Amino acid sequence: MRIGAVVLAGGRSERLGRPKQLLPWDSRTLIETVIDEVCRTPSLTAVVVVLRLEVAEQLGVQPGESLGCARVVLPEAENEGCAASYRSGLTALGDSRLDGVVIVLGDQPGLRAETIEQVVKVWSASGAPLAATRYRDGEGHPLVFGKELFGELVALRGEKAAWKLVDRYRDRVLWVEFDEPMPRDIDTEEDYRAVREAWEGRARTEGCLLTRLPEREKGGVGDRREGNAE
């Protein structure tokens, strides 16, 4: 199956007061760290990241260029909420002939490639129209939507758009269970400090920094089947 991914990072970070995508993280930025993890997911065919123009420029990329394996796209309408990012992401992936798309949050550095891969694999074998992740402490990302729901996904408006579909089709959702805490979002300075401390503590416990990919490359949408994803 051909599975794409949309990394949602087009918000204004109003609660933080500065672009959360650019927060320092292990000698890189927060969004680069999240993209690195997404790019480590073997089952993904193509990846896009939705960023506001000023954030992309501070990262040294323009729309259409790549940050890691992810092609940078702008939110369709910056004042509309996350639904505009879904539309931009799916439009950018539209020529990839996808069977499904994974939705990943750009402010969850604790999300691991292994988690994304497990959700994709379970969903791919299930025939379910969508999958969601259930942790010890709640429901969260990644989410996976089959192509039969792409039209409904891009038609949504406002915030929490994807969860509207989860609620609409709750009796058909495939829940993939993980016996671990949900990765914490970073919305405030307090969140940043807490998640950062947990990250550094994990690195110390493992005896090394967490794995990082090589520096980002320029190019189009990463497609592992065509050999240009890395």
Side-chain angles (χ1 to χ4, degrees):
M1 298 184 78
R2 296 180 66 87
I3 311 296
V6 177
V7 181
L8 300 178
R12 293 184 173 277
S13 308
E14 292 178 349
R15 293 173 62 188
L16 187 69
R18 54 179 169 144
K20 68 173 76 174
Q21 303 88 343
L22 302 177
L23 289 171
W25 203 274
D26 192 17
S27 81
R28 311 194 78 187
T29 62
L30 177 66
I31 189 58
E32 287 174 301
T33 300
V34 173
I35 290 172
D36 282 355
E37 207 64 22
V38 175
C39 291
R40 287 202 311 111
T41 307
S43 294
L44 298 181
T45 298
V47 180
V48 299
V49 56
V50 184
L51 292 170
R52 288 170 31 239
L53 179 59
E54 59 269 32
V55 173
E57 289 177 338
Q58 290 185 67
L59 288 163
V61 292
Q62 292 292 321
E65 295 179 343
S66 290
L67 194 61
C69 75
R71 177 150 58 98
V72 174
V73 299
L74 303 180
E76 184 178 285
E78 289 195 3
N79 296 321
E80 190 187 319
C82 63
S85 294
Y86 295 125
R87 292 199 299 278
S88 297
L90 283 170
T91 298
L93 292 170
D95 59 356
S96 301
R97 302 180 302 281
L98 298 179
D99 298 295
V101 65
V102 181
I103 304 298
V104 175
L105 298 182
D107 64 352
Q108 282 188 336
L111 181 63
R112 296 175 292 114
E114 292 79 10
T115 300
I116 303 171
E117 181 71 4
Q118 179 66 10
V119 175
V120 169
K121 282 189 172 183
V122 173
W123 173 81
S124 297
S126 72
L130 69 160
T133 309
R134 181 176 283 145
Y135 299 93
R136 289 180 201 153
D137 48 354
E139 301 169 355
H141 291 76
L143 305 173
V144 185
F145 294 90
K147 61 184 177 182
E148 63 267 38
L149 294 180
F150 286 2
E152 291 185 61
L153 191 59
V154 299
L156 294 170
R157 295 294 184 270
E159 298 290 353
K160 304 292 183 183
W163 289 99
K164 295 174 183 176
L165 281 187
V166 173
D167 290 339
R168 183 180 302 170
Y169 294 106
R170 186 159 284 269
D171 60 340
R172 300 175 64 192
V173 174
L174 173 68
W175 293 101
V176 185
E177 308 274 349
F178 289 89
D179 186 20
E180 59 188 55
M182 185 187 310
R184 184 169 175 175
D185 298 3
I186 294 177
D187 293 318
T188 65
E189 291 288 350
E190 180 184 1
D191 294 337
Y192 177 46
R193 289 192 297 270
V195 178
R196 178 87 195 178
E197 288 173 4
W199 173 279
E200 292 172 347
R202 177 181 165 194
R204 287 192 297 271
T205 299
E206 294 177 355
C208 62
L209 288 176
L210 302 182
T211 301
R212 295 201 302 269
L213 295 183
E215 291 300 312
R216 62 176 178 266
E217 301 174 2
K218 302 291 184 179
V221 174
D223 191 327
R224 285 178 167 76
R225 299 190 182 187
E226 297 175 3
N228 65 345
E230 298 300 331

